[in-house]
Amino acid sequence: MARSAVYELLALPLAFTRLRTRLRVPRLLLREPVGAHSLSLVHGVIHSALSGGVGLLGWFLAMLSVLVLVRGLAYPLVAADDYENSWGGPTLVGAWLVHAALGVLIAPVFVGMIALLGRLQLRLTRTVLGGDRSSWAIPAAVILAAAGGVFFAAWVHQI
């Protein structure tokens, strides 16, 4: 799981490297070889766009996992004095306990989602650059990248 999460976070910078490097990293990191089938410029651009979009979603989830964990554990340092309307309020201790528990529970969920995106990245690389064709990898990458963009826009507007 950890290797898949690392592979997902490496996907964004890998989207701008040579195609041979994109094929070598899964073999070295995940111990899963990806055979080169079609290394044309068109396939490289398609893989860069899809892998970069899903990679941005992975980095956004990583940022959210750190944010929820730090905000939960350091709640008294980042929160205002209005504990009446806070989860776990009306006292600081109650609000702190609830936010810390939520942070500790939610952060691993985000890391698990990043690991699943790493598995999608591997399937995407095999589909676009390798000979293993998957009918679901490209539509899943497009949908997840678009949903990640919408989620990011909504998150930015609420802060």
Side-chain angles (χ1 to χ4, degrees):
M1 182 170 131
R3 289 176 186 254
S4 294
V6 169
Y7 183 62
E8 165 59 21
L9 295 177
L10 286 175
L12 184 60
L14 280 175
F16 302 103
T17 61
R18 297 175 339 148
L19 294 178
R20 296 278 181 205
T21 305
R22 296 183 212 181
L23 295 173
R24 189 173 43 243
V25 170
R27 181 177 44 87
L28 295 174
L29 183 62
L30 301 174
R31 295 183 181 99
E32 296 201 27
V34 178
H37 178 339
S38 52
L39 296 180
S40 68
L41 178 64
V42 172
H43 285 97
V45 170
I46 290 170
H47 184 261
S48 290
L50 294 173
S51 182
V54 175
L56 277 172
L57 176 60
W59 275 101
F60 179 56
L61 290 175
M63 187 266 313
L64 284 180
S65 68
V66 170
L67 182 71
V68 74
L69 191 60
V70 169
R71 183 169 169 80
L73 295 176
Y75 184 74
L77 301 175
V78 296
D81 293 332
D82 184 26
Y83 305 121
E84 273 303 313
N85 300 320
S86 179
W87 290 352
T91 65
L92 170 63
V93 174
W96 191 0
L97 284 174
V98 169
H99 282 83
L102 285 173
V104 168
L105 292 174
I106 291 173
V109 172
F110 283 147
V111 173
M113 291 169 63
I114 294 168
L116 288 174
L117 288 175
R119 299 310 294 177
L120 172 63
Q121 288 285 1
L122 178 64
R123 177 57 58 193
L124 189 63
T125 302
R126 284 184 171 157
T127 299
V128 177
L129 301 178
D132 185 21
R133 300 289 183 213
S134 245
S135 62
W136 61 270
I138 293 174
V142 169
I143 290 169
L144 285 171
V150 169
F151 182 48
F152 178 75
W155 181 78
V156 167
H157 281 21
Q158 66 91 26
I159 46 178

